[in-house]
Amino acid sequence: MAKKGRFSEFGEAIRNFWNSPGIPSFIEILEKGLDKELFFDPDRADSQIPKEDLPIDFRLRQSGFARKFYERLFPVSHVFRITHRYGREFLDNFMPLAAENYIGRGSYKFVYTLPWNQVVKIGKSKLPSDPIFGSLYKEVQNNLERYLKTEEIGLMHHLQKSAWGESKRDEIRFKFARLGLERLHYWKLKSLIPDLVLPTRFFMGLRFRRSPFGVPVVTLTPCDNQNLLPGKHLKEFIRLNEKVRQNPIQDALFPKWKLNFDTHRFGIISKSKLKKIALDFHRVIEVTRYLANEEKLIFDIHSENIIITIPDFELKIFDYHVFDEHLYEPSKENPSPEVDHINLIKEFVSSFELG
């Protein structure tokens, strides 16, 4: 109860914070320190992190025939950050892209490495019916000035003026509202477990593809970028060596395995490091419970969202989405959807055998 009370007080403090006069804006708080965190000097760039040390899920790299054909026909070229300055659209922060730099895809983004040990995540096209656009999206949609920078709102209006038709103007507004939504999702986690969440900059991007006819294919889409860390996805530390007993049909068609943590797979992890990882996992559990109980939100955490860095062996979360409880499909075993995530983490931590 003490822990729940502590998080409740923290949530109340955040709500009071927004209503206090003279407080910096949401965007100012969110972006504080990012220039330093994400700074790079192209003339003194560090050597590239070896590909074998990257947290790459090769299953997520695979695409179907149609997608591969499209990528060959219209290969990615680069992405710019686009904003509004001098009374018109303004491009800066050129980021070169190439097929060989593609390292994965999630439900909502494509991920590419950049030459300066960072990644850029490019938003996929999504329909407003997607479950991600729940109550938090409505909050952003109704208060765009809180979640978008002044120049981003200026850019949105500038693009809408030159758009043909109401549907195109609505589409532009939808993309900018989604950018604000990404920031809000990030803030939900960053405000609760700041040291575990990778610093992330969200921006409106303009992605370019090369067409066979020499005419570039340009797409306006929300993007974000982060520093690239050497490490491995959580699932890469899992050793599947103990089968969970089910009925014969389930054993044959849908086998289940206990999630055992392999402490020697990527170097020997000391007991003190394991204790720190276990403690951080318990903090993630408390945050998951808090969001579910107090805000009716489900933190959509999976092994693809978490990496353990190498050689420091620290827990880091680099992908953040939260859904409304009623829009997230629970399992048959757990009618409260956050329990699935919590039980998975607990099972994993118990395999550390720390007592």
Side-chain angles (χ1 to χ4, degrees):
M1 289 298 292
K3 286 183 178 177
K4 182 179 177 182
R6 186 184 72 226
F7 276 115
S8 297
E9 290 173 7
F10 186 80
E12 186 63 29
I14 290 176
R15 284 187 285 273
N16 291 337
F17 180 87
W18 295 130
N19 299 322
S20 301
I23 295 295
S25 72
F26 171 84
I27 301 295
E28 290 175 307
I29 297 166
L30 201 66
E31 299 240 320
K32 185 178 181 181
L34 281 185
D35 287 339
K36 183 177 179 181
E37 292 276 5
L38 298 176
F39 174 79
F40 73 94
D41 183 347
D43 297 323
R44 301 180 59 187
D46 296 329
S47 58
Q48 283 290 292
I49 299 172
K51 203 155 195 172
E52 60 270 18
D53 291 340
L54 297 183
I56 297 175
D57 187 337
F58 286 97
R59 179 180 60 84
L60 296 179
R61 285 176 59 89
Q62 302 306 311
S63 300
F65 171 78
R67 182 77 202 181
K68 289 178 180 177
F69 180 74
Y70 178 80
E71 293 289 347
R72 286 180 67 96
L73 203 60
F74 300 96
V76 291
S77 172
H78 55 280
V79 63
F80 277 107
R81 185 164 59 190
I82 180 172
T83 185
H84 186 260
R85 295 178 192 168
Y86 312 113
R88 57 170 298 165
E89 63 270 36
F90 184 88
L91 301 180
D92 65 357
N93 201 15
F94 170 80
M95 291 171 256
L97 304 178
E100 58 269 22
N101 300 132
Y102 167 70
I103 62 171
R105 56 181 169 82
S107 301
Y108 297 99
K109 298 171 186 176
F110 294 103
V111 186
Y112 295 84
T113 59
L114 295 171
W116 46 86
N117 280 335
Q118 288 186 353
V119 296
V120 59
K121 301 178 184 178
I122 300 174
K124 293 180 181 178
S125 296
K126 286 292 170 183
L127 296 174
S129 57
D130 192 282
I132 196 174
F133 303 112
S135 62
L136 295 184
Y137 176 75
K138 291 177 182 176
E139 155 66 21
V140 173
Q141 178 81 297
N142 294 330
N143 299 280
L144 283 181
E145 68 285 347
R146 174 178 283 183
Y147 301 99
L148 296 178
K149 300 175 185 178
T150 303
E151 59 266 29
E152 289 169 341
I153 291 179
L155 175 64
M156 180 184 72
H157 293 323
H158 176 78
L159 295 176
Q160 285 178 319
K161 286 179 183 176
S162 57
W164 287 76
E166 192 65 30
S167 62
K168 187 63 179 177
R169 287 189 284 273
D170 288 344
E171 180 188 344
I172 291 170
R173 182 180 175 86
F174 173 71
K175 290 185 178 183
F176 278 90
R178 179 180 168 185
L179 173 61
L181 178 67
E182 296 279 359
R183 285 187 175 129
L184 182 53
H185 283 198
Y186 171 69
W187 169 251
K188 288 288 181 185
L189 276 297
K190 188 69 173 174
S191 62
L192 295 170
I193 41 176
D195 57 314
L196 301 186
V197 172
L198 280 189
T200 306
R201 169 167 281 145
F202 297 90
F203 61 94
M204 186 57 72
L206 207 61
R207 183 193 59 197
F208 290 77
R209 290 183 176 276
R210 294 190 299 270
S211 74
F213 312 105
V215 179
V217 179
V218 184
T219 305
L220 182 78
T221 183
C223 299
D224 56 271
N225 78 291
Q226 299 169 330
N227 287 329
L228 189 61
L229 297 181
K232 295 297 176 183
H233 285 288
L234 198 57
K235 62 168 58 176
E236 296 181 79
F237 284 88
I238 293 173
R239 183 176 66 250
L240 301 178
N241 61 351
E242 189 177 348
K243 209 168 188 179
V244 177
R245 295 186 67 179
Q246 307 176 95
N247 64 53
I249 296 177
Q250 287 178 314
D251 280 342
L253 300 178
F254 310 104
K256 282 188 177 181
W257 302 82
K258 280 195 175 181
L259 304 181
N260 292 302
F261 189 81
D262 190 341
T263 59
H264 289 68
R265 187 162 188 180
F266 301 105
I268 299 174
I269 307 178
S270 67
K271 196 164 186 178
S272 63
K273 289 287 187 183
L274 277 178
K275 286 181 178 178
K276 176 64 167 60
I277 293 172
L279 176 62
D280 287 341
F281 269 124
H282 282 298
R283 291 168 62 201
V284 172
I285 287 175
E286 290 302 319
V287 167
T288 304
R289 281 189 178 134
Y290 165 75
L291 289 172
N293 295 334
E294 301 298 322
E295 302 196 33
K296 305 303 178 188
L297 297 171
I298 303 303
F299 174 29
D300 188 49
I301 188 165
H302 300 281
S303 56
E304 294 90 352
N305 303 46
I306 298 175
I307 64 170
I308 295 178
T309 63
I310 295 175
D312 300 324
F313 296 110
E314 293 182 343
L315 185 72
K316 296 294 179 185
I317 302 171
F318 62 91
D319 197 11
Y320 342 94
H321 286 113
V322 288
F323 293 80
D324 286 334
E325 187 179 58
H326 65 280
L327 294 176
Y328 199 96
E329 186 176 348
S331 68
K332 293 180 181 178
E333 296 84 5
N334 296 312
S336 185
E338 84 280 359
V339 175
D340 278 329
H341 298 290
I342 291 172
N343 286 346
L344 186 69
I345 295 172
K346 282 184 172 180
E347 180 187 350
F348 192 72
V349 172
S350 67
S351 72
F352 293 4
E353 298 180 348
L354 295 172

